[in-house]
Each structure stands twice: as structure tokens, then as C-alpha cells.
Amino acid sequence: MAASSPAGPCTPIQNYHHCRKPNLSLSSIPMKIKFGETQVVKISSLEVSNGRGKKINVLGETEIDSSEASNAIKDELFVLFFREAWPYFLAHRGSTFVVLISAEIVDSPHLDPILMDISLLHGLGVKFVLVPGTHVQIDRLLAEKGSESKYVGSYRITDSDSLSAAMDASGRVCSMIEAKLSPGPCLSGISRHGDNGRCHDGVSVASGNFVAAKRRGVVEGIDYASTGIVKKIDVSRIRERLDQDCIVLLSNLGYSSSGEVLNCNTYEVATAGAIALGAEKLVNIIDGPILDECGRLISFLTLHDADTLIRQRAKQSETAANYVKAVAQENLACVVYDDSDDTVPSPNGTAFGRAPKFQNGVGFYNGNGLWSAEQGFAIGGQETLSRLNGYLSELAAAAFVCKGGVQRVHLLDGTVGGVLLKELFQRDGVGTMVASDLYEGMRMATVTDLDGIKQLLLPLEESGTLIKRTEEELLTALNSFIVVEREGQIIACAALFPFFEEKCGEVAAIAVSPECRGQGQGDKLLDYIEKKASSLGLQMLFLLTTRTADWFVRRGFSECSIESIPEGRRKKINISRRSKYYMKRLLPYRSGIRLNSAFV
């Protein structure tokens, strides 16, 4: 029985006016509550504590005081969400995030809550470099003076009026952001928990001449006047400010060696800054979501898939064509992509050649003794303003940054309340992530992988952790195996056996070579299996284990009875092993990873 494949990652061509399904919140629980009044209501299934030792059973139809139930549910949800965010507090602390805030968001009421959340995350130990967009403000200032904005490709032609407007807009935007970050957190209620003296200080913001630029000059007969391109990012001084607990603010203005002020492309500054700093993430806050052709959010793309998607549009998009040229130095232009390919190749493996080497102020190394001059990737102009290709330009910038060494790029819809917190502190987030490392070297197994899989499984079989499989059994199940390959060697494997009628799948045979343990390969395999199972329409995963229960429990599995296992699988269970049974409910499929012809 073949699983029907939902639409894969389509070109994000949708406009940003869209309908979103509301997130689960207190307002979505069927309760009739008027705050400030006592009202007896009937509400549905949930059991919580009211904080005074009394359990409130709201499972089914139970009559309770509405205000008491509301407070109890709010308290329980608060604790639940806080505990779920715990791993992300640890993961993000000390990391450097470059955040590009699009000019549309800067010019909107959505900026204030975004800056509030940035201030909150800064307090939790995240280091921020902010790059605000200004093209909307520049265009408005020019229009007020009766001047017309002129663009060629991704760049603005910066005449004297445009330079004056750019300097004015940059100063206003940076001053506004500094002012909004200055107050710090609200002090209401803090005094009852201790001394609040240290809470009066706001966030320190550092700006300066961190961007060295040079004139773009005359290109193909067009004089770009005072338009600049990024020459070098002053990494050491930015790091110094970050270590002093400052948020660093990079404007669109660059400074030349001759003392000129030059108007640079905001995306070029942000992408060059993220690569030069070796940032853990580039976060791009835009004014809409990345949707596929069916209007669905693309929540995840591997670098390979993003690169493929952009290349497919190179003939109709100038930005996409510029991307292909910009990464040609990495020997990627000659890669032939075949949609029938069932693998998810490594972005740093054979499909892409060696990992690109970047040097701030020099550019990318092509492996043949030559360096390109690319410091960042510029997007803008009429293609971006018109949205004829949706957010393809932003996706191209994301892929460029991933190729430069930044592992994760997040494209977030800034019109969604709390989007930064929802993206960074929930497992699957609410935006689109492009990742260069998440599924590195992962692909479906082939017959040539049989010996490598056997070598991984043998020690675990001999110890009794896994059941023994004959070579014939492995061959029969080979189409269900996923392997991780590194430098021609199979370093990890796992299997997914789907039960389509029951809409569930079995996770089995997760094994990682001893020298690669502790590197997160098991987590990557399990994450891939969950996304794969969800894409096939499965709703649950189950497994049998005798010795690895703790590992799976920490990853969201809960113990269940044998009756929860599909009947066809129950008949084959060796009861004498006394295995424990665990299940996990899957999230709906929202990923952009490519599907393949396995699991039929």
C-alpha cells in the first residue's frame, strides 16, 4: 500500500495576506467566562490543581466556579509551557543571533512587542546583533521631497537626495530602537520577590562604524553613486560590545576608507555580519509567512532543498539568478538535481563538494586558489517590493548564509504576536527554518549499505539491546532503513516500519557508531523519522525496548500497554524478552523536507 504524498516544498509565491489557524490558548478552551463575575459553567476535559491542594476535574461536564477554573488552568499551562521551554533556555544561552528586522515591520506597530521579546531574550543570555531595514522610510522621505526612488536589480541608486534620506532614516530608526530598548522590563509585582534595584536599568545598545564599505561604482554602464557594498565587518569590536552585555545595532550605513558615508543594502549588511561573526542563527523578521503553492506554511527546508528550489526559479527571478552566480565559486553550479532522487544529501558532503571557506574582508574560497569578493547577499528593488515571487528573495539570502557557515536561518512572520518566543522555545516553531546541518548525510538505505548497517547493529544485538536479525531479514526490511553517511562510512542507522491502517509506525534499530556517539546523531535520526512518519499521514510512533527507555522518555515517548500496539505487530512480539512499550503522538505535517518513494 503506497502512502499518498502531500505537496512538497513549493516556491513560496503566496502574498502575505493569509489566514492562520489560531494557536491553542485559553480562549480556545470551551469556557464561558466573564472576568470579575462569578459564573457556574460547564467546561471540557482537563484536570488541574487550583493551587490550594484541590484537584479540579474539568474532564467531561463538571460544574465549577468559572474564575477559579480559569486561574487554575492558566497556572497549569504556565508551568507546562515554562518546563517545555527549559531545554531551549540552555541551548540559546550565550549564542549570537543576528536579527534582521524588515523595513515593513520597523514601520509597523508590530515592532514594539518584537523589541520587548528581544530584550527578554537578551536578559536570558542571548547575544543580539540587530539590523533594521529602512527602505520604506527612505522611499517615504524621498516622496515627501518630490523625488523618485531608483532601483536597478537589488540595489538603490543613491544620489545626493537618496543619501540624505538614507542618513535621516537610519538615524531615526536607530534612535527609536535604542529608545524602545531603554526602559527594560516592567517592574510591576517585582518588589514582593526581592530587591528590584538591579531591574531599573534598561538594555545597553551599542552602535558605531562597524561596517567598512566601498562604492559599488559603475556597473554595466550604471553609476550607483553613493551606494556602497560591504567590504568588511569589524568582528572584534562587535564581539567586544556583545561581551559587555550590549545589544549591537548595525545600520544600513557603511563607511569608506576615504571617510565617505555610503548607503548599503540592509540584507547585505545582515548576511555579511552573520557569516563574519559565525552567528549561531540569522533571524529574518518579515511581514508574512513562507507558503507553498497550496497556501501552507513551509516550516523547514534543508539547505539542499532550499538551494534546489531557488535554482528552479533562476530563469524567472533575478535574485535567484544572482544567488546561483554568488555560490558558483563553491562548485555548486555544476550540480544536477534530480527530483526522483530519494536521498537527502549532506549540504557539506559529496553533493555540494567541500564546505565553503569564508574569510571576512576576502570572501569565499573556491578551492582552486581563488577568492570571490562576496561578503553578503543583497536583496531588494522591484522584485522584492512587488512580491511577484513571494519571499523567494529572502529564501535565497537564507541559503546564501547557510552556505557561509551559519547553521540555521529562521524566516519569521513578524505580524504574529510573540513570534520570536514561539519560534525559539517550541519544538517546531511557527516560522520557516533553513538548516545546513540538521539532516547532514542522511538518506534512505541501499543494498550497498547492508554491511555497514550490520556492523552498527551487531554489538547491540550481542548485548541483547536489539533483537537479532538475519541477513535475509535485513534485506527484506532495507527499504525501511535510514542511514547517516560520513566520508563514505555508515555512522548511524534507524528504521521506520509504518502501519498505515492504524496510522502509526514503529521506530526500530536506532544505532550510532561508538566514535560518533554524543554528537546528536540519534536525535537527528529520531527527528527525521518523526517528520517522515508525519509526512506519510501517520499520527503515532511506537517502539519496543528493554534498555533504552530513559532515552526515549526524555524525547517525548510515554509508556503504554501492549494493547496499544497494532494487532499485526503484536502477533510477532517475543513476549519472553519482556520489552516495554512506548508511544508518542506526532505533530501534523508542516515540514518542507522532500518525500521519497520508500515505505511502500
Side-chain angles (χ1 to χ4, degrees):
M1 176 180 176
S4 60
S5 297
C10 307
T11 303
I13 59 173
Q14 305 296 317
N15 291 326
Y16 60 84
H17 300 290
H18 64 289
C19 295
R20 277 183 176 270
K21 293 182 179 179
N23 291 325
L24 177 63
S25 65
L26 288 174
S27 61
S28 65
I29 297 174
M31 300 176 62
K32 288 180 64 180
I33 292 178
K34 293 182 180 179
F35 289 97
E37 299 182 13
T38 299
Q39 186 177 12
V40 176
V41 294
K42 292 183 179 181
I43 60 179
S44 38
S45 167
L46 188 63
E47 183 178 274
V48 298
S49 170
N50 67 357
R52 295 185 292 276
K54 178 183 176 183
K55 290 287 185 180
I56 300 175
N57 178 16
V58 290
L59 214 83
E61 303 207 339
T62 304
E63 292 186 352
I64 61 171
D65 183 281
S66 61
S67 61
E68 185 178 12
S70 173
N71 290 334
I73 292 172
K74 285 168 62 178
D75 289 346
E76 289 298 316
L77 289 178
F78 173 80
V79 172
L80 175 64
F81 295 155
F82 211 83
R83 287 172 177 166
E84 286 183 348
W86 176 24
Y88 303 101
F89 293 150
L90 300 176
H92 299 324
R93 188 171 59 201
S95 298
T96 299
F97 295 173
V98 174
V99 180
L100 192 160
I101 308 175
S102 71
E104 291 82 5
I105 294 298
V106 169
D107 200 48
S108 76
H110 303 292
L111 178 65
D112 285 18
I114 288 171
L115 292 177
M116 182 185 299
D117 291 342
I118 286 173
S119 180
L120 184 159
L121 293 171
H122 172 76
L124 293 175
V126 179
K127 299 178 180 181
F128 281 103
V129 177
L130 305 185
V131 189
T134 57
H135 73 81
V136 170
Q137 294 77 6
I138 295 172
D139 289 348
R140 183 188 301 124
L141 289 171
L142 288 174
E144 290 172 357
K145 294 179 180 180
S147 298
E148 183 180 354
S149 298
K150 303 182 184 74
Y151 294 93
V152 176
S154 299
Y155 291 94
R156 180 191 298 272
I157 295 179
T158 308
D159 55 21
S160 58
D161 287 343
S162 298
L163 181 61
S164 177
M167 295 172 67
D168 192 1
S170 176
R172 290 185 183 184
V173 167
C174 289
S175 296
M176 176 185 64
I177 291 176
E178 290 174 357
K180 291 181 183 297
L181 289 172
S182 294
C186 176
L187 299 179
S188 175
I190 290 294
S191 57
R192 63 176 293 213
H193 296 290
D195 179 25
N196 64 355
R198 59 183 177 179
C199 297
H200 285 291
D201 294 333
V203 176
S204 295
V205 181
S207 56
N209 56 341
F210 299 126
V211 180
K214 61 182 180 180
R215 283 180 176 265
R216 179 164 171 79
V218 179
V219 180
E220 296 181 354
I222 298 171
D223 186 356
Y224 286 83
S226 293
T227 296
I229 59 174
V230 177
K231 185 178 179 182
K232 189 174 183 178
I233 302 293
D234 195 337
V235 172
S236 61
R237 286 201 298 137
I238 291 175
R239 285 288 180 197
E240 182 181 330
R241 302 301 190 279
L242 293 175
D243 292 340
Q244 292 171 351
D245 203 29
C246 294
I247 288 179
V248 173
L249 193 57
L250 295 183
S251 76
N252 59 295
L253 301 181
Y255 306 93
S256 74
S257 58
S258 60
E260 293 180 291
V261 179
L262 299 175
N263 176 38
C264 297
N265 181 280
T266 301
Y267 275 82
E268 187 172 344
V269 171
T271 52
I275 295 172
L277 287 165
E280 279 77 12
K281 293 181 186 292
L282 170 65
V283 181
N284 187 357
I285 302 178
I286 52 182
D287 60 341
I290 308 295
L291 304 177
D292 64 18
E293 290 174 341
C294 307
R296 298 177 301 190
L297 177 72
I298 300 177
S299 65
F300 174 78
L301 286 170
T302 64
L303 174 55
H304 177 274
D305 289 334
D307 181 87
T308 303
L309 179 58
I310 298 161
R311 290 173 183 277
Q312 289 172 345
R313 298 293 181 174
K315 291 183 179 180
Q316 69 186 60
S317 163
E318 183 178 356
T319 304
N322 290 341
Y323 164 84
V324 174
K325 293 177 183 177
V327 299
Q329 291 83 3
E330 301 162 46
N331 298 321
L332 290 174
C334 61
V335 175
V336 177
Y337 293 98
D338 182 358
D339 289 339
S340 65
D341 180 11
D342 294 337
T343 67
V344 181
S346 164
N348 297 321
T350 55
F352 286 122
R354 294 186 177 181
K357 185 184 293 184
F358 177 82
Q359 183 172 322
N360 184 29
V362 179
F364 286 99
Y365 181 62
N366 69 0
N368 297 316
L370 299 174
W371 290 79
S372 74
E374 300 291 344
Q375 293 298 313
F377 188 76
I379 74 169
Q382 292 305 319
E383 180 179 348
T384 302
L385 293 173
S386 67
R387 290 293 173 210
L388 290 176
N389 289 301
Y391 291 94
L392 185 66
S393 297
E394 285 80 358
L395 198 59
F400 179 89
V401 166
C402 282
K403 291 185 184 300
V406 177
Q407 293 184 344
R408 311 282 172 88
V409 179
H410 299 260
L411 302 166
L412 307 183
D413 179 1
T415 66
V416 174
V419 67
L420 260 177
L421 303 181
K422 292 174 182 177
E423 176 71 8
L424 297 176
F425 291 93
Q426 292 180 348
R427 182 181 179 278
D428 282 88
V430 295
T432 299
M433 182 175 75
V434 179
S436 63
D437 66 323
L438 194 55
Y439 298 126
E440 180 180 357
M442 204 167 293
R443 58 176 175 78
M444 301 307 300
T446 64
V447 175
T448 58
D449 302 318
L450 187 60
D451 288 340
I453 294 174
K454 286 167 58 179
Q455 290 178 18
L456 288 176
L457 299 182
L458 184 59
L460 298 175
E461 291 175 352
E462 291 177 343
S463 68
T465 303
L466 297 178
I467 61 170
K468 292 186 176 181
R469 291 178 172 85
T470 65
E471 187 166 329
E472 290 74 23
E473 288 173 331
L474 279 177
L475 271 173
T476 302
L478 199 59
N479 285 339
S480 297
F481 269 83
I482 299 156
V483 298
V484 181
E485 182 180 19
R486 179 183 293 170
E487 296 178 353
Q489 300 295 317
I490 304 301
I491 63 169
C493 71
L496 169 62
F497 299 104
F499 294 80
F500 290 110
E501 291 185 5
E502 293 85 354
K503 294 187 177 180
C504 64
E506 179 181 6
V507 181
I510 293 183
V512 180
S513 63
E515 63 272 16
C516 296
R517 290 173 188 165
Q519 300 176 8
Q521 297 297 339
D523 284 299
K524 291 179 183 179
L525 275 166
L526 182 59
D527 188 66
Y528 183 87
I529 285 174
E530 289 181 11
K531 285 183 168 60
K532 176 62 64 179
S534 181
S535 74
L536 295 171
L538 306 184
Q539 299 174 358
M540 300 281 289
L541 286 180
F542 71 90
L543 59 92
L544 286 67
T545 184
T546 56
R547 304 189 187 183
T548 58
D550 289 348
W551 192 87
F552 286 101
V553 168
R554 289 192 66 192
R555 286 148 182 84
F557 285 80
S558 301
E559 189 171 0
C560 64
S561 66
I562 191 172
E563 286 75 23
S564 301
I565 308 299
E567 183 178 0
R569 181 66 179 94
R570 288 204 303 267
K571 294 178 181 180
K572 300 178 181 179
I573 293 176
N574 181 359
I575 302 298
S576 64
R577 280 179 58 84
R578 302 186 64 184
S579 298
K580 301 286 186 180
Y581 313 106
Y582 289 84
M583 298 197 79
K584 180 177 182 179
R585 182 171 296 279
L586 297 171
L587 295 171
Y589 177 76
R590 296 191 303 119
S591 178
I593 69 170
R594 293 185 305 151
L595 304 178
N596 53 55
S597 58
F599 308 114
V600 294

